[in-house]
Amino acid sequence: MTAVPGSITDGRALVDEAMRACVDRLDPANRRVIAYHLGWTDADGRPADAGGKALRPALAMLSGRAAGAPPENALPGAVAVEFVHAFSLLHDDIMDGDRTRRHRPAAWTVFGAAAAILAGDALLALSEELLLEQHTRGAHWAAEALTAATQRLISGQALDMGFETRADVTLDECLTMASDKTGALLACASSIGAMLGEAPAELVTALTGYGTEMGLAFQLVDDLLGIWGSPETTGKPVLSDLRARKKSLPVVAALTAGTAESARLAELYAAPGDPAEADLREMAELVEAAGGRAWAEAEADRRVALAAKHVGDVEMDDAVRAEFRDIALFVTARDH
Amino acid sequence: MTAVPGSITDGRALVDEAMRACVDRLDPANRRVIAYHLGWTDADGRPADAGGKALRPALAMLSGRAAGAPPENALPGAVAVEFVHAFSLLHDDIMDGDRTRRHRPAAWTVFGAAAAILAGDALLALSEELLLEQHTRGAHWAAEALTAATQRLISGQALDMGFETRADVTLDECLTMASDKTGALLACASSIGAMLGEAPAELVTALTGYGTEMGLAFQLVDDLLGIWGSPETTGKPVLSDLRARKKSLPVVAALTAGTAESARLAELYAAPGDPAEADLREMAELVEAAGGRAWAEAEADRRVALAAKHVGDVEMDDAVRAEFRDIALFVTARDH
């Protein structure tokens, strides 16, 4: 298993403390749902330790270092991107009817959809509040970028929901969806610390480019794991994306490859009712035989290289540059 | 029927045009839900004319005039407050299970809860985007105030949802809830144009005070109409708030009055199942007999007077001041 880079674990305590202080401002009802959703408590409100890897805050903090700013300066950005991420997961789970999140019951199954909708709204508003209460030019820049990223995240989710009832999704549309739903917020996370540090536009642009490519690579790997990943690491049942007939990137690449396997896969995807276990195994084989797996693996590698090039082409501390590259390699490693 | 003040109808076309241009930026799926929700289209996407009275944009435009700023300057604020209002109605209808909104099926019953959740998210993000793309000190101020108002609106809804399962709601809690859920956004609407115009803090504070008091008065009257209003004007069935056993202001005033009628009302509110028609009529009579109706009417009048005092105490054009007062009288008139 690829080791977790230090930059993901280092600032974790600082970000965690700032997140808790922010959530403490909310009313008790929303606080309860959010503490559970973020993994801080169990369903009964008892302390727990079930949080995610906090990739976005780590990128935000690192981008502050790239701009030469002190850690406190990037902190509101780190918290804000994680809150937007948490908001989107809270609402997506309701919209998609997903009952499990990180090996635990999704928040809406514990507290009800109404409470989960409202808690998501509170997180979204809080993320903006955090940035805007800093009265600097950099904070305005960061808030504007975060709102634009949120809007893309939302339109990506709209596109994704539309895919469910369509048999003619193109690979371009699927890439746009992934770029909106996953890439935009990772691009914002990778540059928000630099914006808060009022870095030159050139650095912010390079970091945004890094995050965009890394985000696509991350989604490609996530989609590969959604088919071939082990339930222990994904937290979802085996072959779960195929079970839900999700139009993920490797699947759409296979569906649009024009092979005999593409046609058979399309047939299985269009069949009514829940797929049988044998059908699920056949679907996975068809995605591979139609070239969907190999394409996704190669495309992920290509995007990681592009991400590395973005941080390679701009002036920053060499240690910071290396950490950006380590993170891209880590989150796209296919051995976890 | 009290005549609609000119300030509510005057800027309507300008705001409407700006709102449509903003919604046009969104993806087609969210656009469709929002156009329906805002009353621009019917369920099949055909043009319709079913919008609300756009009170919040009118207040925003008027507050721009109070600051002596040109109308274009207040426009993003007018659109932003209306989008936050529309977002909250979209999500509240899902959370509260309300199937009707302004005499039409609520958006979630037409497009599904998932689409309505996402469209609400898009409106909330859009409201911030609109303000932040103005790179002025006033826009930052406005965005910060709008986010704070949104956060209060959300905690008011959380409090309101909590009331449903509680028999011990105090009048103070009920006033806090109304102040958060209705007052905060009206206070922001009444001052956002002045913030965008970078008016003196004194004017913004006075207008916020006006909106706070007017918002409470508005909610008191809305609660009175929720019991005694005619279905033609409220767009809801007769006695609908009592049918839903809503803990509205006149009801809580009656429940906490310590009279024999209070006790009987509490009994009917605690009874299981849907109330019979005779029970509904008895509930309405009990609210009145326990003094809830008279208290709410007097409290609304008192708040309107306080609102008028806020705009009376600060320097602004006399015509603008008169329009603020007209709006407060109009929205709290009990003959419509």
Side-chain angles (χ1 to χ4, degrees), chain B residues 62-110:
Chain B
L62 193 56
S63 75
R65 282 175 58 204
E72 315 81 70
N73 203 68
L75 204 49
V79 174
V81 290
E82 190 66 358
F83 282 171
V84 170
H85 179 55
F87 138 80
S88 77
L89 298 182
L90 252 175
H91 281 191
D92 283 3
D93 284 347
I94 307 169
M95 291 186 252
D96 301 340
D98 286 338
R99 307 189 63 87
T100 304
R101 162 77 48 202
R102 289 185 195 128
H103 310 273
R104 303 196 309 165
W108 70 273
T109 70
V110 177

Side-chain angles (χ1 to χ4, degrees), chain A residues 81-169:
Chain A
V81 290
E82 191 66 358
F83 282 171
V84 170
H85 179 55
F87 137 79
S88 77
L89 298 181
L90 252 176
H91 281 191
D92 283 3
D93 284 346
I94 307 169
M95 293 187 250
D96 301 340
D98 287 338
R99 306 188 63 88
T100 304
R101 162 77 49 201
R102 289 187 195 127
H103 311 271
R104 303 196 308 164
W108 70 273
T109 69
V110 177
F111 302 98
I117 293 171
L118 197 62
D121 295 344
L123 277 171
L124 182 54
L126 192 54
S127 70
E128 287 295 326
E129 219 174 348
L130 264 179
L131 292 172
L132 292 171
E133 65 194 16
Q134 319 280 322
H135 298 124
T136 64
R137 217 167 44 85
H140 194 101
W141 193 5
E144 194 180 355
L146 184 61
T147 311
T150 304
Q151 202 60 267
R152 284 188 57 200
L153 191 154
I154 290 166
S155 68
Q157 169 70 359
L159 211 49
D160 200 13
M161 280 166 35
F163 284 0
E164 282 172 27
T165 53
R166 285 179 50 197
D168 61 346
V169 177

Side-chain angles (χ1 to χ4, degrees), chain B residues 14 38 46 62 65 93 100 124 132 151 194 199 205 207 221 226 252 254 291 295 318 327 331:
Chain B
L14 197 65
L38 292 173
R46 285 182 300 245
L62 193 56
R65 282 175 58 204
D93 284 347
T100 304
L124 181 54
L132 292 172
Q151 201 62 267
T205 303
L207 294 176
V221 172
V252 174
W295 171 81
D318 280 336
I327 289 182
V331 300

Side-chain angles (χ1 to χ4, degrees), chain B residues 59-205:
Chain B
L59 288 165
M61 296 302 282
L62 193 56
S63 75
R65 282 175 58 204
E72 315 81 70
N73 203 68
L75 204 49
V79 174
V81 290
E82 190 66 358
F83 282 171
V84 170
H85 179 55
F87 138 80
S88 77
L89 298 182
L90 252 175
H91 281 191
D92 283 3
D93 284 347
I94 307 169
M95 291 186 252
D96 301 340
D98 286 338
R99 307 189 63 87
T100 304
R101 162 77 48 202
R102 289 185 195 128
H103 310 273
R104 303 196 309 165
W108 70 273
T109 70
V110 177
F111 302 99
I117 293 171
L118 196 62
D121 295 343
L123 277 171
L124 181 54
L126 192 54
S127 69
E128 286 296 324
E129 220 175 347
L130 265 178
L131 293 173
L132 292 172
E133 65 194 16
Q134 320 279 324
H135 298 126
T136 63
R137 215 166 45 85
H140 194 101
W141 192 4
E144 194 180 355
L146 183 61
T147 311
T150 304
Q151 201 62 267
R152 283 188 56 198
L153 191 155
I154 290 166
S155 69
Q157 169 69 1
L159 211 49
D160 199 13
M161 280 166 35
F163 284 1
E164 283 171 27
T165 53
R166 285 179 48 197
D168 61 346
V169 177
T170 67
L171 192 52
D172 262 358
E173 285 178 308
C174 202
L175 283 164
T176 300
M177 185 277 285
S179 167
D180 283 347
K181 193 168 168 174
T182 310
L185 188 59
L186 280 167
C188 181
S190 303
S191 54
I192 199 167
M195 292 183 220
L196 285 163
E198 301 184 9
E202 196 191 15
L203 176 60
V204 171
T205 303

